[in-house]
């Protein structure tokens, strides 16, 4: 601990500024200065001093009595003398201490001859520029607090300076102090500093006071090998990153941040203590071992939280990039479909029209905006694969599928807990025809799914909703207008309610389903289902229905011929209900792939029928040709047959013998 201390007592106690003057082995001038300060520095020497007029009217001449010179031979106090200029001081070259506190001096003058001066106090004046000190090479303490100085300058020759006090000025930048290698105390409190730098070279600095400035970040402090105390109270420091260089200082033992935004953060104390393990005092309070331990525990938790947050950020960005890639592939696919559609129409103009060819193409915009990323996340994403063409995400009770490849995830071995939690399934950038093929798997894998969402799935016609009837239950249905032109149809919601009435749906696109909606749906589409089921042949109707429905349908057919009295009222109601469900079941949907399979099957059947008919025609033609030839030959053949018969029976006895002989030979 440095033993010698100085405290200005003439009205400056409020600033509570302390300066260390003596080193471990004080020099003669240091011991002299300490001795003088321990005496009554605040004594009013000015009462025994006379200021006489000089040949230069603007500068008075200092005159002291012989007694005064003997009593205070090495110091001079001109405190509160209402001075506006520095007086001319002759014959006082031996002075070590000079005090001009609490005057109105605007410029430092007339002291260049005091080359033995060690202590100069110009506190509370009106000085605007540091000047007139180039000859004071022995000066160790310079007090210029509470003036109007705007810039640190003209200190080049004060290489022995030990204490520099510039608090309460208008300084905006730390500069021109790098050569003060012996400086131990620097006070820049209550200035206009916005940042801390340019401190290189202050190798002896042990205390730096920067209270009550506008500082937002600190640099170069870690290059001060002897710095022990740093006061940063009441500034604008808000993050630890802006002062992270302090963690690299091995000598710093006392620091203050109170009055800064950072001091209000919950992580403030444990972050500081974790990164600055050498601290003994924080905000003028002693740091205990318990606080260090708590800081270590809190820092570990904070680090884990940051790692998890970073991981989540990476996953979120990967999700964004993957969805963007899926959307790009979807757009290209839709453009390709739209470009080849006219050619397909011309090729199949003579064939039954495929309902899926009515689909339009939509260009989807990427659903998420690209956010700005910090440098750390950007570097981490450099190795991130963005070639994925599908994405599967389970978020709470929602299963989100992006891209057709995501449908393969339904074949996974989902845990019972995860599958049971899923109540909402969202499909994005997937053809509805592909979704239809996995609906049976969806019903088995996720039995509690109640809400289906479709976005960019090419839902273009009402018939496609028929495919949803095979699910176990649907309470809510959400069809996004983006990529689903079917929502432009005015009656699409009523058709859904009619076709999926057995689900008793509660919401469609977020809107509650009312009883009036159900009645309107029945009025609009009830006759359609009746006509569809009435016009179908029985074999065709049975092939459409499932096994359970087949039994019910056969029951209806068996009871048609019975008298009304033989069937009770309860069975009549049951028959009516089964009939309604059967009517709706005839409204089905054929996917594109199934249609193509049926089309190939029809082509094969047509080919077989054509060949079969050609063979029948060929065989009939041959028979006809043979018949025509027979008709032409028959008259002559008949004449020859009659002639041969007449010749044979002309001799009756011979003919009888011949017949008997033939009979005998046959035996």
């Amino acid at each position: 601990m440095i033993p010698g201390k100085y405290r200005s007592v003439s009205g400056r106690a409020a600033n509570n500024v302390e300066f260390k003057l003596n080193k471990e082995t004080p020099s003669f001038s240091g011991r002299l200065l300490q001795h003088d300060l321990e005496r009554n520095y605040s004594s009013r020497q000015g009462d025994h001093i006379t200021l006489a007029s000089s040949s230069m009217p603007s500068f008075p001449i200092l005159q002291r009595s012989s007694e005064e010179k003997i009593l205070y031979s090495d110091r001079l106090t001109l405190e509160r003398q209402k001075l506006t200029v520095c007086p001319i001081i002759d014959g006082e070259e031996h002075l070590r201490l000079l005090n001009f506190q609490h005057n109105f001096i605007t410029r430092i003058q007339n002291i260049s001859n005091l080359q033995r001066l060690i202590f100069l106090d110009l506190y509370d004046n009106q000085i605007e520029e540091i000047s007139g000190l180039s000859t004071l090479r022995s000066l160790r303490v310079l007090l210029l607090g509470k003036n109007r100085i705007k810039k640190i300058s003209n200190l080049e020759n004060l290489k022995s300076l030990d204490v520099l006090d510039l608090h309460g000025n208008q300084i905006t930048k730390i500069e021109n102090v790098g050569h003060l290698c012996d400086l131990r105390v620097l006070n820049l409190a209550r200035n206009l500093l916005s940042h801390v730098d340019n401190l290189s070279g202050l190798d002896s600095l042990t205390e730096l006071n920067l209270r009550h400035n506008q500082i937002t970040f600190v640099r170069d402090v870690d290059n001060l090998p002897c710095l022990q105390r740093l006061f940063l109270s009441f500034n604008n420091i808000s993050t630890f990153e802006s002062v992270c260089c302090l963690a690299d200082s091995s000598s710093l033992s006392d620091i203050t941040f109170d009055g800064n935004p950072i001091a209000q953060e919950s992580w403030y104390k444990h972050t500081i203590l974790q990164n600055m393990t050498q601290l003994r005092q924080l905000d003028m309070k002693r740091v205990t071992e318990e606080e260090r331990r708590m800081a270590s525990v809190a820092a570990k938790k904070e680090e884990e939280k940051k790692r998890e947050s970073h991981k989540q950020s990476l996953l979120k960005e990967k999700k964004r990039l993957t969805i963007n890639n899926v959307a790009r592939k979807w757009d290209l696919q839709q453009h390709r479909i739209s470009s080849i559609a006219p050619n397909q129409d011309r090729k199949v103009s003579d064939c039954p029209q495929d309902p899926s060819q009515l689909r339009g193409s939509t260009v989807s915009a990427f659903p998420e905006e690209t956010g700005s990323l910090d440098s750390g996340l950007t570097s981490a994403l450099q190795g991130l694969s963005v070639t994925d063409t599908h994405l599967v995400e389970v978020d709470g009770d929602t299963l989100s599928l992006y891209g057709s490849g995501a449908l393969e995830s339904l074949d996974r071995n989902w845990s019972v807990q995860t599958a049971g939690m899923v109540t909402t399934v969202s499909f994005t950038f997937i053809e509805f025809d592909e979704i239809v093929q996995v609906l049976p798997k969806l019903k088995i894998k996720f039995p509690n799914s109640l809400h289906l969402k479709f976005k960019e799935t090419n839902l273009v016609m009402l018939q496609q909703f028929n495919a949803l009837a095979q699910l176990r239950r649907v309470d809510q249905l959400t069809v996004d207008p983006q990529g689903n032109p079917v929502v432009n149809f005015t009656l699409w919601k009523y058709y859904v309610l009619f076709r999926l009435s057995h689900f008793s749906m509660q919401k469609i696109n977020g809107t509650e389903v009312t009883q009036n909606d159900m009645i309107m749906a029945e009025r609009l589409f009830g006759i359609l289902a009746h006509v569809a089921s009435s016009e179908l042949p029985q074999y065709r109707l049975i092939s459409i229905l499932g096994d359970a429905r087949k039994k019910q349908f056969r029951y209806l057919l068996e009871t048609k011929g019975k008298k009304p009295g033989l069937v009770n009222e309860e069975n009549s109601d049951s028959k009516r209900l089964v009939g309604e469900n059967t009517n709706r079941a005839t409204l089905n949907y054929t996917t594109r792939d199934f249609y193509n399979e049926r089309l190939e099957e029809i082509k094969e059947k047509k080919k077989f029928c054509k060949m079969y008919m050609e063979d029948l025609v060929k065989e009939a033609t041959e028979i006809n040709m043979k018949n025509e030839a027979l008709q032409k030959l028959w008259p002559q053949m008949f004449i020859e047959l009659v002639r041969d018969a007449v010749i044979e029976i002309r001799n009756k006895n011979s003919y009888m013998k011949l017949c008997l002989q033939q009979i005998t030979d046959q035996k």
Side-chain angles (χ1 to χ4, degrees):
M1 185 66 181
I2 301 174
K5 292 188 178 181
Y6 159 71
R7 184 184 301 274
S8 176
V9 296
S10 56
R12 292 192 297 162
N15 294 318
N16 195 23
V17 181
E18 293 185 357
F19 303 96
K20 282 72 179 178
L21 297 181
N22 294 336
K23 298 181 181 179
E24 293 299 335
T25 307
S27 62
F28 170 76
S29 59
R31 292 196 301 271
L32 174 63
L33 185 59
Q34 179 182 1
H35 174 72
D36 289 337
L37 292 173
E38 288 173 351
R39 296 166 62 185
N40 186 12
Y41 171 70
S42 62
S43 61
R44 301 294 298 274
Q45 295 183 39
D47 296 338
H48 308 281
I49 296 173
T50 303
L51 297 175
S53 301
S54 67
S55 57
M56 300 177 63
S58 57
F59 296 104
I61 298 176
L62 176 70
Q63 294 180 351
R64 290 202 295 174
S65 63
S66 299
E67 181 183 353
E68 187 77 16
K69 288 184 179 181
I70 293 173
L71 184 61
Y72 303 107
S73 60
D74 57 355
R75 64 190 179 125
L76 176 62
T77 298
L78 295 174
E79 181 181 339
R80 302 183 190 278
Q81 297 297 314
K82 300 182 180 179
L83 296 174
T84 59
V85 295
C86 294
I88 298 173
I89 305 174
D90 288 331
E92 301 278 1
E93 288 77 9
H94 55 279
L95 281 178
R96 299 289 190 270
L97 186 150
L98 180 58
N99 178 13
F100 282 115
Q101 282 191 29
H102 305 294
N103 283 289
F104 304 99
I105 298 172
T106 59
R107 187 177 182 184
I108 305 173
Q109 296 170 303
N110 303 321
I111 60 172
S112 58
N113 58 321
L114 306 177
Q115 296 184 9
R116 296 185 181 180
L117 197 63
I118 295 175
F119 192 107
L120 176 59
D121 190 350
L122 286 160
Y123 172 75
D124 192 18
N125 280 277
Q126 299 179 9
I127 299 170
E128 297 183 357
E129 182 183 7
I130 302 174
S131 61
L133 304 174
S134 59
T135 61
L136 307 182
R137 298 179 182 274
S138 298
L139 193 65
R140 291 188 55 205
V141 178
L142 178 58
L143 309 181
L144 290 170
K146 202 175 179 182
N147 278 280
R148 301 177 181 178
I149 299 170
K150 295 181 173 63
K151 183 179 181 181
I152 304 175
S153 61
N154 300 318
L155 300 175
E156 290 77 12
N157 295 331
L158 306 183
K159 295 182 180 180
S160 299
L161 206 59
D162 189 79
V163 176
L164 177 58
D165 179 16
L166 293 169
H167 83 276
N169 283 282
Q170 302 171 21
I171 299 170
T172 59
K173 183 180 180 182
I174 301 176
E175 56 186 338
N176 302 319
V177 295
H179 62 285
L180 302 176
C181 57
D182 292 332
L183 188 68
R184 291 188 298 118
V185 177
L186 176 59
N187 186 2
L188 290 169
R190 297 186 184 276
N191 276 280
L192 302 176
L193 299 174
S194 60
H195 56 277
V196 179
D197 54 7
N198 298 327
L199 296 175
S200 298
L202 300 178
D203 295 339
S204 300
L205 192 67
T206 60
E207 181 174 309
L208 178 57
N209 189 348
L210 298 169
R211 291 187 178 100
H212 294 281
N213 277 278
Q214 302 169 11
I215 297 170
T216 57
F217 66 89
V218 177
R219 286 198 295 257
D220 290 349
V221 174
D222 52 319
N223 295 324
L224 303 177
C226 297
L227 186 65
Q228 298 177 11
R229 292 169 296 280
L230 176 61
F231 305 109
L232 287 165
S233 305
F234 301 99
N235 280 283
N236 292 328
I237 299 170
S238 57
T239 64
F240 180 77
E241 285 72 19
S242 60
V243 293
C244 60
C245 66
L246 301 178
D248 298 326
S249 174
S250 59
S251 59
L252 197 60
S253 62
D254 190 353
I255 194 169
T256 63
F257 285 109
D258 53 302
N260 284 274
I262 190 176
Q264 305 299 321
E265 299 291 345
S266 59
W267 47 262
Y268 158 66
K269 192 168 186 177
H270 68 252
T271 300
I272 296 295
L273 295 180
Q274 177 67 17
N275 289 277
M276 303 174 67
T277 56
Q278 76 281 10
L279 281 186
R280 295 180 181 178
Q281 286 196 124
L282 176 60
D283 296 334
M284 307 304 290
K285 296 179 181 179
R286 180 176 172 273
V287 178
T288 64
E289 290 301 321
E290 179 64 17
E291 288 176 328
R292 294 185 191 278
R293 190 187 67 80
M294 295 292 292
S296 178
V297 173
K300 289 180 181 178
K301 291 182 178 179
E302 188 69 23
E303 186 64 25
E304 291 177 359
K305 184 177 179 182
K306 286 182 179 179
R307 283 198 298 266
E308 183 62 25
S309 176
H310 185 70
K311 179 181 178 181
Q312 293 300 323
S313 298
L314 283 174
L315 292 176
K316 183 177 180 181
E317 183 62 14
K318 182 177 181 180
K319 172 187 173 182
R320 188 190 67 80
L321 293 174
T322 302
I323 295 176
N324 193 13
N325 193 44
V326 174
R328 190 182 302 112
K329 181 181 178 182
W330 172 264
D331 290 342
L332 291 174
Q333 179 182 352
Q334 300 309 303
H335 282 305
R336 184 166 60 251
I337 292 175
S338 63
S339 63
I340 65 176
N343 296 331
Q344 289 180 341
D345 290 341
R346 285 193 294 270
K347 290 179 181 179
V348 300
S349 57
D350 297 332
C351 300
Q353 188 176 8
D354 179 3
S356 62
Q357 293 176 1
L358 298 175
R359 289 196 172 90
S361 63
T362 59
V363 181
S364 61
F366 180 56
E368 299 179 25
E369 295 293 335
T370 303
S372 60
L373 303 174
D374 57 33
S375 58
L377 185 57
T378 302
S379 61
L381 286 171
Q382 289 179 355
L384 190 64
S385 173
V386 293
T387 59
D388 296 335
T389 57
H390 67 274
L391 175 67
V392 180
E393 180 186 30
V394 178
D395 185 9
D397 63 350
T398 301
L399 171 64
S400 299
L401 305 176
Y402 298 87
S404 58
L407 298 177
E408 298 177 2
S409 65
L410 297 179
D411 293 327
R412 296 178 184 173
N413 294 324
W414 293 87
S415 66
V416 177
Q417 182 179 3
T418 302
M421 289 174 57
V422 173
T423 60
T424 301
V425 182
S426 174
F427 301 94
T428 308
F429 303 120
I430 307 175
E431 285 283 350
F432 185 80
D433 282 1
E434 297 182 25
I435 298 173
V436 171
Q437 298 175 12
V438 300
L439 289 179
K441 297 179 182 179
L442 181 67
K443 179 174 63 174
I444 297 173
K445 293 285 186 177
F446 302 96
N448 296 328
S449 58
L450 304 175
H451 185 186
L452 298 182
K453 293 183 177 181
F454 298 94
K455 182 177 181 180
E456 292 284 4
T457 56
N458 266 348
L459 271 167
V460 297
M461 54 187 177
L462 299 179
Q463 294 94 314
Q464 290 173 295
F465 291 113
N466 298 340
L468 302 180
Q470 60 184 299
L471 294 174
R472 178 179 285 108
R473 181 181 175 186
V474 178
D475 285 353
Q476 295 187 53
L477 180 66
T478 301
V479 182
D480 196 293
Q482 187 174 346
N484 295 307
V486 72
V487 300
N488 296 324
F489 298 159
T490 305
L491 303 179
W492 78 274
K493 291 184 180 180
Y494 293 111
Y495 183 80
V496 170
L497 291 176
F498 170 76
R499 182 61 187 87
L500 307 179
S501 61
H502 56 291
F503 290 147
S504 300
M505 298 184 66
Q506 299 175 5
K507 287 184 179 180
I508 296 181
N509 277 13
T511 304
E512 294 283 348
V513 175
T514 64
Q515 187 63 30
N516 291 335
D517 293 333
M518 298 298 296
I519 295 173
M520 179 60 70
E522 185 66 29
R523 289 178 179 176
L524 290 171
F525 297 102
I527 188 65
L528 173 65
H530 176 72
V531 171
S533 61
S534 301
E535 295 299 322
L536 282 176
Q538 180 179 344
Y539 76 91
R540 177 60 178 155
L541 187 59
I542 293 177
S543 66
I544 292 176
L545 302 177
D547 293 337
R549 297 282 183 85
K550 288 178 182 178
K551 295 179 180 179
Q552 296 171 347
F553 183 70
R554 288 195 180 98
Y555 166 77
L556 289 176
L557 295 179
E558 291 173 358
T559 55
K560 272 187 176 181
K562 296 182 180 180
K563 296 182 179 181
L566 299 178
V567 182
N568 60 31
E569 186 177 349
E570 181 179 355
N571 289 340
S572 299
D573 293 338
S574 176
K575 182 182 69 174
R576 177 180 55 81
L577 182 60
V578 172
E580 290 177 352
N581 292 335
T582 303
N583 289 342
R584 287 172 172 79
T586 59
L587 301 174
N588 62 346
Y589 172 63
T590 303
T591 64
R592 181 188 304 173
D593 293 339
F594 183 73
Y595 176 83
N596 291 336
E597 293 176 2
R598 292 293 304 277
L599 189 61
E600 290 297 325
E601 183 181 349
I602 292 173
K603 288 181 179 179
E604 291 295 330
K605 288 182 178 180
K606 283 185 176 180
K607 182 178 180 181
F608 172 78
C609 292
K610 182 178 180 181
M611 293 176 62
Y612 182 73
M613 291 301 297
E614 287 177 352
D615 291 342
L616 289 178
V617 170
K618 183 178 180 181
E619 184 178 353
T621 302
E622 291 177 354
I623 292 174
N624 184 59
M625 291 175 63
K626 290 179 180 180
N627 183 48
E628 291 179 353
L630 179 61
Q631 293 296 329
K632 292 179 181 179
L633 295 175
W634 176 249
Q636 183 62 31
M637 292 175 63
F638 182 76
I639 293 172
E640 291 179 357
L641 289 173
V642 172
R643 186 192 61 188
D644 293 341
V646 171
I647 292 173
E648 286 179 356
I649 65 174
R650 184 173 52 184
N651 187 347
K652 186 176 180 182
N653 293 328
S654 299
Y655 178 72
M656 290 176 63
K657 288 180 180 182
L658 180 62
C659 289
L660 290 173
Q661 185 63 39
Q662 290 178 352
I663 293 172
T664 302
D665 294 339
Q666 290 179 356
K667 291 182 178 181

